[in-house]
Amino acid sequence: MTGDGEDRRVGRRPRVLKAVGLTLAGTLVLGCAAAGWAYWHLNSNIKSVDINSALGDDRPAKVTPTPSTSQEAPLPTEAVNILVLGSDSRSGKENQALGGGTSTGARSDTAMVVHIGAGRTTATVVSIPRDTLVTRPSCPLESGGTTSAAYGAMFNSAYSVGGPVCAVKTVESITNVRMDHYVEIDFSGFAKLVDALGGVTVTTDEDIDDDDSHLTLKAGTHHLNGKQALAFARTRHGIGDGSDLGRIGLQQKLVKALLEQISSTNLLTSPTKLYSVADAITGSLTTDTGLDSLTELMSLGESLKGLSSDEVKTVTMPVVTAPSNPNRVVAKEPAARDLWESLR
């Protein structure tokens, strides 16, 4: 015989299972909603500039990808050139607190051409000294009209007078290399990225004491937080001869250290940390329209999964002291021309 107590338990079982099912369904819906919101938030973080439409066809030839016979959409494997700028933006309290100053506007404080070779397992990062005197071409303005061409202008003035479009056009003019993509990150974004990764470890061969960047370090290995890493990237007067070339050396050390930090951090095991890193990257990022979505950035990142920090070479565009100004430099020929030729 079955007792009344057991009958009641059997009767409750479907109700309990239904409640558990509803709870799981609700959790799944909330999880999907949270994931959808996170994707929307990260995607909307990214700012973009339509470089291709602004510059038209008057540009160096673009690398033609090899046709794929795969039925699935393959990851890109052709060589690609990306102009990466670090902007010392004056906008926003965070950038000002990190050294952006109180004036308006911005300059390209750091400029690197990142050449990723065919197969995407090797890369060359070429730094362009911001004090390089160049012929700055006439550039289209977003408001209409164009800037005037300038001879013997400082390289970083291109961004100041014409923004990302003029920065890209100037780089293409002096290198005759097509920039397939453009990426810009500002002060606060860089500092947030380093903090989200848990800091970055760098080694300096000499003491650093720079009143301008507010960084003091003894020679040796140090683990830096975001604010310190930014100061490290901006230091120039506290090392060597105080020129921009010394700062570039520190920036190249930092690039390698960041790549090593990213590769050693398994972000997939920590969704919270992964989101924090993604939010830091996208929150202060400006790209061309070919990289202005999370899907496109993820595709680029996935195509670089075979690229290790050991296969990233950092160099500086060969320069010599400018005859007209001992505080400026000009491209050293034919060495500079040969370097750019190797990236086409």
Side-chain angles (χ1 to χ4, degrees):
M1 279 182 75
T2 302
D4 291 342
E6 187 173 340
D7 287 339
R8 284 193 295 273
R9 286 194 296 274
V10 171
R12 284 198 303 269
R13 203 168 293 150
R15 291 195 296 272
V16 172
L17 291 175
K18 184 177 180 181
V20 171
L22 289 172
T23 300
L24 290 174
T27 301
L28 181 60
V29 169
L30 288 174
C32 290
W37 178 88
Y39 184 91
W40 173 85
H41 174 71
L42 295 174
N43 211 51
S44 63
N45 271 348
I46 306 167
K47 301 179 287 293
S48 65
V49 179
D50 193 346
I51 304 287
N52 289 335
S53 293
L55 294 184
D57 297 327
D58 186 20
R59 305 175 66 186
K62 189 174 184 178
V63 174
T64 304
T66 303
S68 172
T69 57
S70 172
Q71 297 299 312
E72 300 180 4
L75 289 170
T77 58
E78 71 274 11
V80 63
N81 294 303
I82 306 172
L83 176 60
V84 178
L85 294 187
S87 164
D88 64 344
S89 172
R90 270 53 171 196
S91 63
K93 292 181 179 179
E94 288 179 306
N95 282 324
Q96 291 177 14
L98 289 168
T102 56
S103 61
T104 59
R107 297 167 299 181
S108 52
D109 203 47
T110 303
M112 296 179 176
V113 173
V114 179
H115 172 79
I116 302 166
R120 306 210 172 179
T121 58
T122 61
T124 302
V125 179
V126 185
S127 297
I128 302 176
R130 70 175 194 172
D131 294 341
T132 305
L133 299 182
V134 300
T135 296
R136 189 183 70 223
S138 173
C139 301
L141 294 172
E142 186 178 0
S143 58
T146 59
T147 66
S148 298
Y151 303 92
M154 277 183 57
F155 168 75
N156 70 340
S157 69
Y159 185 95
S160 300
V161 301
V165 170
C166 198
V168 170
K169 186 166 185 178
T170 300
V171 169
E172 292 185 343
S173 175
I174 66 176
T175 66
N176 197 30
V177 176
R178 172 80 170 233
M179 295 297 110
D180 301 293
H181 292 297
Y182 170 84
V183 173
E184 176 191 330
I185 189 166
D186 67 17
F187 275 169
S188 64
F190 179 79
K192 286 178 182 177
L193 172 60
V194 173
D195 284 336
L197 288 169
V200 61
T201 301
V202 297
T203 299
T204 175
D205 301 325
E206 59 181 299
D207 294 347
I208 295 176
D209 187 12
D210 190 340
D211 291 337
D212 288 347
S213 67
H214 308 295
L215 182 68
T216 301
L217 292 176
K218 290 292 185 183
T221 300
H222 304 271
H223 192 73
L224 308 180
N225 62 26
K227 187 174 182 178
Q228 291 170 324
L230 180 61
F232 189 85
R234 299 182 65 232
T235 290
R236 69 182 289 181
H237 298 297
I239 58 166
D241 62 1
S243 73
D244 196 39
L245 299 180
R247 171 165 51 191
I248 285 175
L250 294 182
Q251 291 172 349
Q252 291 174 344
K253 284 178 182 284
L254 193 55
V255 166
K256 297 278 281 189
L258 274 173
L259 290 174
E260 290 167 2
Q261 179 71 17
I262 292 171
S263 65
S264 65
T265 304
N266 191 351
L267 297 175
L268 296 180
T269 63
S270 175
T272 301
K273 191 165 190 176
L274 175 61
Y275 177 81
S276 179
V277 170
D279 193 36
I281 292 174
T282 59
S284 297
L285 199 68
T286 300
T287 72
D288 67 285
T289 49
L291 285 179
D292 64 351
S293 75
L294 207 55
T295 300
E296 288 159 336
L297 287 173
M298 289 170 64
S299 176
L300 174 64
E302 185 69 12
S303 76
L304 302 179
K305 62 185 179 181
L307 176 64
S308 70
S309 61
D310 292 336
E311 295 301 323
V312 177
K313 180 182 179 182
T314 56
V315 298
T316 302
M317 183 181 79
V319 293
V320 294
T321 302
S324 61
N325 188 335
N327 296 316
R328 300 289 180 261
V329 295
V330 293
K332 181 182 179 180
E333 301 298 357
R337 185 167 55 250
D338 291 343
L339 172 61
W340 298 124
E341 179 68 31
S342 71
L343 304 187
R344 295 189 191 118

